[in-house]
mmCIF file of all heavy atoms in Angstrom:
data_model
loop_
_atom_site.group_PDB
_atom_site.id
_atom_site.type_symbol
_atom_site.label_atom_id
_atom_site.label_comp_id
_atom_site.label_asym_id
_atom_site.label_seq_id
_atom_site.Cartn_x
_atom_site.Cartn_y
_atom_site.Cartn_z
ATOM 1 N N GLN K 1 106.075 93.932 96.659
ATOM 2 C CA GLN K 1 106.310 94.114 95.245
ATOM 3 C C GLN K 1 105.064 94.278 94.531
ATOM 4 O O GLN K 1 104.026 93.623 94.948
ATOM 5 C CB GLN K 1 107.038 92.875 94.579
ATOM 6 C CG GLN K 1 108.488 92.664 95.187
ATOM 7 C CD GLN K 1 109.408 93.826 94.771
ATOM 8 O OE1 GLN K 1 109.420 94.265 93.613
ATOM 9 N NE2 GLN K 1 110.127 94.355 95.670
ATOM 10 N N THR K 2 104.986 95.068 93.482
ATOM 11 C CA THR K 2 103.731 95.359 92.702
ATOM 12 C C THR K 2 103.455 94.483 91.519
ATOM 13 O O THR K 2 102.554 94.672 90.815
ATOM 14 C CB THR K 2 103.705 96.847 92.357
ATOM 15 O OG1 THR K 2 104.875 97.118 91.386
ATOM 16 C CG2 THR K 2 103.814 97.778 93.542
ATOM 17 N N ALA K 3 104.344 93.475 91.256
ATOM 18 C CA ALA K 3 104.117 92.691 90.129
ATOM 19 C C ALA K 3 104.793 91.213 90.409
ATOM 20 O O ALA K 3 105.754 91.212 91.260
ATOM 21 C CB ALA K 3 104.727 93.214 88.906
ATOM 22 N N THR K 4 104.224 90.272 89.708
ATOM 23 C CA THR K 4 104.795 88.859 89.919
ATOM 24 C C THR K 4 106.342 88.777 89.585
ATOM 25 O O THR K 4 107.105 88.263 90.297
ATOM 26 C CB THR K 4 104.131 87.961 88.890
ATOM 27 O OG1 THR K 4 102.704 87.830 89.378
ATOM 28 C CG2 THR K 4 104.792 86.494 88.885
ATOM 29 N N ALA K 5 106.635 89.567 88.529
ATOM 30 C CA ALA K 5 108.112 89.644 88.151
ATOM 31 C C ALA K 5 108.946 90.158 89.232
ATOM 32 O O ALA K 5 110.264 89.725 89.419
ATOM 33 C CB ALA K 5 108.261 90.338 86.838
ATOM 34 N N GLY K 6 108.513 91.138 89.912
ATOM 35 C CA GLY K 6 109.207 91.692 91.032
ATOM 36 C C GLY K 6 109.477 90.829 92.104
ATOM 37 O O GLY K 6 110.631 90.659 92.794
ATOM 38 N N VAL K 7 108.516 89.972 92.535
ATOM 39 C CA VAL K 7 108.675 88.898 93.531
ATOM 40 C C VAL K 7 109.739 88.014 93.119
ATOM 41 O O VAL K 7 110.661 87.556 93.947
ATOM 42 C CB VAL K 7 107.343 88.293 93.862
ATOM 43 C CG1 VAL K 7 107.505 87.064 94.908
ATOM 44 C CG2 VAL K 7 106.290 89.290 94.455
ATOM 45 N N ARG K 8 109.588 87.495 91.963
ATOM 46 C CA ARG K 8 110.506 86.515 91.408
ATOM 47 C C ARG K 8 111.957 87.008 91.423
ATOM 48 O O ARG K 8 112.967 86.329 91.805
ATOM 49 C CB ARG K 8 110.061 86.110 90.017
ATOM 50 C CG ARG K 8 110.863 84.817 89.454
ATOM 51 C CD ARG K 8 110.449 84.500 88.031
ATOM 52 N NE ARG K 8 110.521 85.703 87.170
ATOM 53 C CZ ARG K 8 109.724 85.913 86.097
ATOM 54 N NH1 ARG K 8 108.690 84.989 85.905
ATOM 55 N NH2 ARG K 8 109.802 86.938 85.421
ATOM 56 N N GLN K 9 112.161 88.304 90.973
ATOM 57 C CA GLN K 9 113.405 88.833 90.937
ATOM 58 C C GLN K 9 114.093 89.005 92.217
ATOM 59 O O GLN K 9 115.314 88.669 92.636
ATOM 60 C CB GLN K 9 113.380 90.240 90.266
ATOM 61 C CG GLN K 9 114.718 90.867 90.086
ATOM 62 C CD GLN K 9 114.643 92.155 89.358
ATOM 63 O OE1 GLN K 9 113.580 92.758 89.047
ATOM 64 N NE2 GLN K 9 115.754 92.787 88.989
ATOM 65 N N VAL K 10 113.321 89.477 93.290
ATOM 66 C CA VAL K 10 113.846 89.618 94.583
ATOM 67 C C VAL K 10 114.291 88.221 95.211
ATOM 68 O O VAL K 10 115.391 88.104 95.787
ATOM 69 C CB VAL K 10 112.740 90.339 95.559
ATOM 70 C CG1 VAL K 10 113.259 90.195 97.082
ATOM 71 C CG2 VAL K 10 112.602 91.673 95.154
ATOM 72 N N VAL K 11 113.405 87.263 95.061
ATOM 73 C CA VAL K 11 113.734 85.928 95.578
ATOM 74 C C VAL K 11 114.953 85.243 94.892
ATOM 75 O O VAL K 11 115.811 84.693 95.509
ATOM 76 C CB VAL K 11 112.456 85.019 95.510
ATOM 77 C CG1 VAL K 11 112.942 83.577 95.861
ATOM 78 C CG2 VAL K 11 111.368 85.479 96.325
ATOM 79 N N SER K 12 115.005 85.525 93.530
ATOM 80 C CA SER K 12 116.111 84.859 92.877
ATOM 81 C C SER K 12 117.498 85.562 93.294
ATOM 82 O O SER K 12 118.527 84.936 93.148
ATOM 83 C CB SER K 12 116.048 85.123 91.290
ATOM 84 O OG SER K 12 116.018 86.464 90.926
ATOM 85 N N GLY K 13 117.443 86.748 93.749
ATOM 86 C CA GLY K 13 118.731 87.459 94.224
ATOM 87 C C GLY K 13 118.945 87.420 95.633
ATOM 88 O O GLY K 13 119.985 87.914 96.134
ATOM 89 N N ASP K 14 118.140 86.779 96.426
ATOM 90 C CA ASP K 14 118.249 86.842 97.954
ATOM 91 C C ASP K 14 118.152 85.445 98.437
ATOM 92 O O ASP K 14 117.110 84.858 98.427
ATOM 93 C CB ASP K 14 117.233 87.602 98.598
ATOM 94 C CG ASP K 14 117.329 87.783 100.061
ATOM 95 O OD1 ASP K 14 118.189 87.085 100.699
ATOM 96 O OD2 ASP K 14 116.629 88.623 100.677
ATOM 97 N N PRO K 15 119.330 84.849 98.968
ATOM 98 C CA PRO K 15 119.335 83.488 99.396
ATOM 99 C C PRO K 15 118.387 83.203 100.579
ATOM 100 O O PRO K 15 118.009 82.052 100.879
ATOM 101 C CB PRO K 15 120.887 83.275 99.827
ATOM 102 C CG PRO K 15 121.522 84.401 99.148
ATOM 103 C CD PRO K 15 120.649 85.519 99.034
ATOM 104 N N ASN K 16 117.976 84.188 101.215
ATOM 105 C CA ASN K 16 117.114 84.066 102.540
ATOM 106 C C ASN K 16 115.666 84.473 102.313
ATOM 107 O O ASN K 16 114.879 84.633 103.169
ATOM 108 C CB ASN K 16 117.675 84.898 103.682
ATOM 109 C CG ASN K 16 119.139 84.394 103.949
ATOM 110 O OD1 ASN K 16 119.371 83.215 103.970
ATOM 111 N ND2 ASN K 16 120.071 85.447 104.188
ATOM 112 N N ALA K 17 115.187 84.790 100.998
ATOM 113 C CA ALA K 17 113.863 85.259 100.765
ATOM 114 C C ALA K 17 112.921 84.195 100.403
ATOM 115 O O ALA K 17 113.324 82.978 100.094
ATOM 116 C CB ALA K 17 113.954 86.257 99.507
ATOM 117 N N ILE K 18 111.706 84.360 100.702
ATOM 118 C CA ILE K 18 110.526 83.467 100.340
ATOM 119 C C ILE K 18 109.519 84.367 99.723
ATOM 120 O O ILE K 18 109.265 85.459 100.177
ATOM 121 C CB ILE K 18 110.097 82.705 101.552
ATOM 122 C CG1 ILE K 18 108.893 81.766 101.131
ATOM 123 C CG2 ILE K 18 109.535 83.708 102.641
ATOM 124 C CD1 ILE K 18 108.583 80.797 102.241
ATOM 125 N N GLY K 19 108.728 83.907 98.707
ATOM 126 C CA GLY K 19 107.713 84.601 98.129
ATOM 127 C C GLY K 19 106.700 83.650 97.570
ATOM 128 O O GLY K 19 106.856 82.434 97.660
ATOM 129 N N PHE K 20 105.641 84.248 96.911
ATOM 130 C CA PHE K 20 104.743 83.399 96.148
ATOM 131 C C PHE K 20 104.392 84.102 94.766
ATOM 132 O O PHE K 20 104.209 85.344 94.739
ATOM 133 C CB PHE K 20 103.458 83.219 96.975
ATOM 134 C CG PHE K 20 102.945 84.418 97.575
ATOM 135 C CD1 PHE K 20 101.887 85.242 96.865
ATOM 136 C CD2 PHE K 20 103.219 84.885 98.813
ATOM 137 C CE1 PHE K 20 101.399 86.359 97.389
ATOM 138 C CE2 PHE K 20 102.696 86.116 99.347
ATOM 139 C CZ PHE K 20 101.753 86.835 98.650
ATOM 140 N N ILE K 21 104.317 83.241 93.783
ATOM 141 C CA ILE K 21 104.014 83.723 92.460
ATOM 142 C C ILE K 21 103.092 82.830 91.652
ATOM 143 O O ILE K 21 102.869 81.680 92.123
ATOM 144 C CB ILE K 21 105.272 83.984 91.610
ATOM 145 C CG1 ILE K 21 105.902 82.627 91.401
ATOM 146 C CG2 ILE K 21 106.197 85.027 92.260
ATOM 147 C CD1 ILE K 21 107.154 82.690 90.368
ATOM 148 N N SER K 22 102.542 83.264 90.598
ATOM 149 C CA SER K 22 101.849 82.462 89.655
ATOM 150 C C SER K 22 102.701 81.338 89.198
ATOM 151 O O SER K 22 103.860 81.522 88.816
ATOM 152 C CB SER K 22 101.282 83.268 88.518
ATOM 153 O OG SER K 22 100.987 82.450 87.448
ATOM 154 N N MET K 23 102.124 80.084 89.069
ATOM 155 C CA MET K 23 102.857 78.839 88.458
ATOM 156 C C MET K 23 103.151 79.233 87.041
ATOM 157 O O MET K 23 104.160 78.659 86.543
ATOM 158 C CB MET K 23 102.076 77.644 88.684
ATOM 159 C CG MET K 23 102.238 77.020 90.131
ATOM 160 S SD MET K 23 101.104 75.693 90.321
ATOM 161 C CE MET K 23 101.754 74.504 89.181
ATOM 162 N N GLY K 24 102.355 80.024 86.360
ATOM 163 C CA GLY K 24 102.689 80.399 84.949
ATOM 164 C C GLY K 24 103.934 81.276 84.793
ATOM 165 O O GLY K 24 104.394 81.521 83.685
ATOM 166 N N SER K 25 104.466 81.843 85.926
ATOM 167 C CA SER K 25 105.599 82.701 85.864
ATOM 168 C C SER K 25 106.895 81.968 86.474
ATOM 169 O O SER K 25 107.972 82.582 86.680
ATOM 170 C CB SER K 25 105.357 83.977 86.668
ATOM 171 O OG SER K 25 104.215 84.605 86.114
ATOM 172 N N ILE K 26 106.883 80.747 86.688
ATOM 173 C CA ILE K 26 107.938 79.894 87.198
ATOM 174 C C ILE K 26 109.003 79.860 86.099
ATOM 175 O O ILE K 26 108.842 79.605 84.944
ATOM 176 C CB ILE K 26 107.617 78.505 87.583
ATOM 177 C CG1 ILE K 26 106.748 78.432 88.855
ATOM 178 C CG2 ILE K 26 108.836 77.722 87.825
ATOM 179 C CD1 ILE K 26 106.018 77.174 89.151
ATOM 180 N N ASN K 27 110.344 80.198 86.557
ATOM 181 C CA ASN K 27 111.443 79.925 85.589
ATOM 182 C C ASN K 27 112.528 79.267 86.449
ATOM 183 O O ASN K 27 112.405 78.927 87.593
ATOM 184 C CB ASN K 27 111.848 81.193 84.968
ATOM 185 C CG ASN K 27 112.408 82.292 85.867
ATOM 186 O OD1 ASN K 27 112.746 81.965 87.043
ATOM 187 N ND2 ASN K 27 112.391 83.547 85.435
ATOM 188 N N ASP K 28 113.658 79.168 85.751
ATOM 189 C CA ASP K 28 114.775 78.400 86.443
ATOM 190 C C ASP K 28 115.637 79.191 87.315
ATOM 191 O O ASP K 28 116.704 78.790 87.806
ATOM 192 C CB ASP K 28 115.672 77.681 85.355
ATOM 193 C CG ASP K 28 116.290 78.607 84.359
ATOM 194 O OD1 ASP K 28 116.096 79.863 84.535
ATOM 195 O OD2 ASP K 28 116.952 78.206 83.456
ATOM 196 N N GLU K 29 115.205 80.406 87.593
ATOM 197 C CA GLU K 29 116.009 81.332 88.468
ATOM 198 C C GLU K 29 115.563 81.212 89.926
ATOM 199 O O GLU K 29 116.269 81.565 90.839
ATOM 200 C CB GLU K 29 115.669 82.864 88.053
ATOM 201 C CG GLU K 29 116.132 83.188 86.726
ATOM 202 C CD GLU K 29 115.693 84.587 86.330
ATOM 203 O OE1 GLU K 29 114.972 85.324 87.119
ATOM 204 O OE2 GLU K 29 116.078 84.978 85.165
ATOM 205 N N ILE K 30 114.526 80.379 90.153
ATOM 206 C CA ILE K 30 113.998 80.231 91.576
ATOM 207 C C ILE K 30 113.669 78.736 91.772
ATOM 208 O O ILE K 30 113.661 77.899 90.835
ATOM 209 C CB ILE K 30 112.792 81.083 91.867
ATOM 210 C CG1 ILE K 30 111.865 81.022 90.761
ATOM 211 C CG2 ILE K 30 113.266 82.563 92.171
ATOM 212 C CD1 ILE K 30 110.825 80.012 90.763
ATOM 213 N N LYS K 31 113.516 78.368 93.038
ATOM 214 C CA LYS K 31 113.219 76.967 93.476
ATOM 215 C C LYS K 31 111.737 76.988 93.860
ATOM 216 O O LYS K 31 111.275 77.847 94.683
ATOM 217 C CB LYS K 31 114.054 76.401 94.537
ATOM 218 C CG LYS K 31 113.485 75.053 95.046
ATOM 219 C CD LYS K 31 114.306 74.713 96.343
ATOM 220 C CE LYS K 31 115.695 74.369 96.288
ATOM 221 N NZ LYS K 31 116.382 73.895 97.466
ATOM 222 N N VAL K 32 110.842 76.060 93.400
ATOM 223 C CA VAL K 32 109.473 75.852 93.784
ATOM 224 C C VAL K 32 109.301 74.846 94.903
ATOM 225 O O VAL K 32 109.855 73.737 94.698
ATOM 226 C CB VAL K 32 108.616 75.526 92.678
ATOM 227 C CG1 VAL K 32 107.150 75.383 92.992
ATOM 228 C CG2 VAL K 32 108.757 76.624 91.487
ATOM 229 N N LEU K 33 108.790 75.248 96.010
ATOM 230 C CA LEU K 33 108.603 74.305 97.062
ATOM 231 C C LEU K 33 107.424 73.390 97.010
ATOM 232 O O LEU K 33 106.441 73.850 96.528
ATOM 233 C CB LEU K 33 108.531 75.076 98.497
ATOM 234 C CG LEU K 33 109.742 75.931 98.783
ATOM 235 C CD1 LEU K 33 109.519 76.550 100.156
ATOM 236 C CD2 LEU K 33 110.996 75.157 98.846
ATOM 237 N N SER K 34 107.407 72.178 97.495
ATOM 238 C CA SER K 34 106.250 71.384 97.727
ATOM 239 C C SER K 34 105.444 72.002 98.995
ATOM 240 O O SER K 34 106.174 72.631 99.771
ATOM 241 C CB SER K 34 106.563 69.968 97.948
ATOM 242 O OG SER K 34 107.177 69.346 96.775
ATOM 243 N N VAL K 35 104.291 71.782 98.925
ATOM 244 C CA VAL K 35 103.402 72.146 100.108
ATOM 245 C C VAL K 35 102.709 71.088 100.707
ATOM 246 O O VAL K 35 101.989 70.306 99.964
ATOM 247 C CB VAL K 35 102.394 73.280 99.580
ATOM 248 C CG1 VAL K 35 101.488 73.740 100.824
ATOM 249 C CG2 VAL K 35 103.077 74.449 99.031
ATOM 250 N N ASP K 36 102.968 70.890 102.023
ATOM 251 C CA ASP K 36 102.349 69.691 102.695
ATOM 252 C C ASP K 36 102.767 68.356 101.943
ATOM 253 O O ASP K 36 102.023 67.408 101.867
ATOM 254 C CB ASP K 36 100.764 69.696 102.762
ATOM 255 C CG ASP K 36 100.423 70.773 103.808
ATOM 256 O OD1 ASP K 36 101.109 70.992 104.804
ATOM 257 O OD2 ASP K 36 99.387 71.396 103.678
ATOM 258 N N GLY K 37 103.989 68.406 101.406
ATOM 259 C CA GLY K 37 104.511 67.175 100.751
ATOM 260 C C GLY K 37 103.994 66.941 99.316
ATOM 261 O O GLY K 37 104.316 66.018 98.624
ATOM 262 N N VAL K 38 103.264 67.968 98.811
ATOM 263 C CA VAL K 38 102.609 67.774 97.480
ATOM 264 C C VAL K 38 103.368 68.671 96.477
ATOM 265 O O VAL K 38 103.329 69.963 96.778
ATOM 266 C CB VAL K 38 101.053 68.000 97.509
ATOM 267 C CG1 VAL K 38 100.568 67.910 96.106
ATOM 268 C CG2 VAL K 38 100.512 67.059 98.489
ATOM 269 N N GLU K 39 103.770 68.206 95.382
ATOM 270 C CA GLU K 39 104.458 69.075 94.348
ATOM 271 C C GLU K 39 103.404 69.972 93.681
ATOM 272 O O GLU K 39 102.205 69.609 93.475
ATOM 273 C CB GLU K 39 105.142 68.159 93.310
ATOM 274 C CG GLU K 39 106.007 68.883 92.360
ATOM 275 C CD GLU K 39 106.717 67.955 91.361
ATOM 276 O OE1 GLU K 39 106.618 66.619 91.596
ATOM 277 O OE2 GLU K 39 107.351 68.383 90.469
ATOM 278 N N ALA K 40 103.866 71.140 93.258
ATOM 279 C CA ALA K 40 102.999 72.097 92.594
ATOM 280 C C ALA K 40 102.924 71.768 91.140
ATOM 281 O O ALA K 40 103.747 72.165 90.285
ATOM 282 C CB ALA K 40 103.533 73.542 92.812
ATOM 283 N N THR K 41 101.872 70.936 90.738
ATOM 284 C CA THR K 41 101.712 70.475 89.303
ATOM 285 C C THR K 41 100.178 70.582 89.033
ATOM 286 O O THR K 41 99.290 70.609 89.953
ATOM 287 C CB THR K 41 102.144 69.030 89.079
ATOM 288 O OG1 THR K 41 101.273 68.238 89.872
ATOM 289 C CG2 THR K 41 103.624 68.889 89.565
ATOM 290 N N GLU K 42 99.907 70.708 87.663
ATOM 291 C CA GLU K 42 98.492 70.762 87.217
ATOM 292 C C GLU K 42 97.760 69.536 87.690
ATOM 293 O O GLU K 42 96.611 69.592 88.267
ATOM 294 C CB GLU K 42 98.405 70.804 85.732
ATOM 295 C CG GLU K 42 96.992 70.774 85.276
ATOM 296 C CD GLU K 42 96.911 70.779 83.729
ATOM 297 O OE1 GLU K 42 97.900 70.662 82.973
ATOM 298 O OE2 GLU K 42 95.743 70.929 83.231
ATOM 299 N N ALA K 43 98.381 68.337 87.558
ATOM 300 C CA ALA K 43 97.694 67.106 87.967
ATOM 301 C C ALA K 43 97.335 67.108 89.527
ATOM 302 O O ALA K 43 96.193 66.639 89.848
ATOM 303 C CB ALA K 43 98.537 65.869 87.759
ATOM 304 N N ASN K 44 98.197 67.625 90.322
ATOM 305 C CA ASN K 44 97.894 67.655 91.732
ATOM 306 C C ASN K 44 96.790 68.787 92.079
ATOM 307 O O ASN K 44 96.079 68.682 93.029
ATOM 308 C CB ASN K 44 99.218 67.960 92.522
ATOM 309 C CG ASN K 44 100.076 66.670 92.633
ATOM 310 O OD1 ASN K 44 99.595 65.572 92.352
ATOM 311 N ND2 ASN K 44 101.382 66.832 92.675
ATOM 312 N N ILE K 45 96.772 69.806 91.229
ATOM 313 C CA ILE K 45 95.731 70.823 91.399
ATOM 314 C C ILE K 45 94.364 70.170 91.090
ATOM 315 O O ILE K 45 93.382 70.292 91.788
ATOM 316 C CB ILE K 45 95.942 72.018 90.497
ATOM 317 C CG1 ILE K 45 97.155 72.903 91.077
ATOM 318 C CG2 ILE K 45 94.695 72.937 90.457
ATOM 319 C CD1 ILE K 45 97.525 74.039 90.204
ATOM 320 N N ARG K 46 94.346 69.590 89.901
ATOM 321 C CA ARG K 46 92.982 68.930 89.407
ATOM 322 C C ARG K 46 92.593 67.710 90.291
ATOM 323 O O ARG K 46 91.375 67.533 90.396
ATOM 324 C CB ARG K 46 93.146 68.609 87.999
ATOM 325 C CG ARG K 46 93.385 69.694 87.055
ATOM 326 C CD ARG K 46 93.009 69.409 85.654
ATOM 327 N NE ARG K 46 93.316 70.518 84.794
ATOM 328 C CZ ARG K 46 92.560 71.605 84.450
ATOM 329 N NH1 ARG K 46 91.271 71.560 85.120
ATOM 330 N NH2 ARG K 46 92.846 72.511 83.686
#
């Protein structure tokens, strides 16, 4: 996909898809995974 929105749209419509997007583009159409047991949050980044 050529844009963040495209990745999000594909994943939201495909039960078997996986992708990666900017955290600033997260919405309630997709599920965000923890990585190595750590939640994707600003506090955990800092």
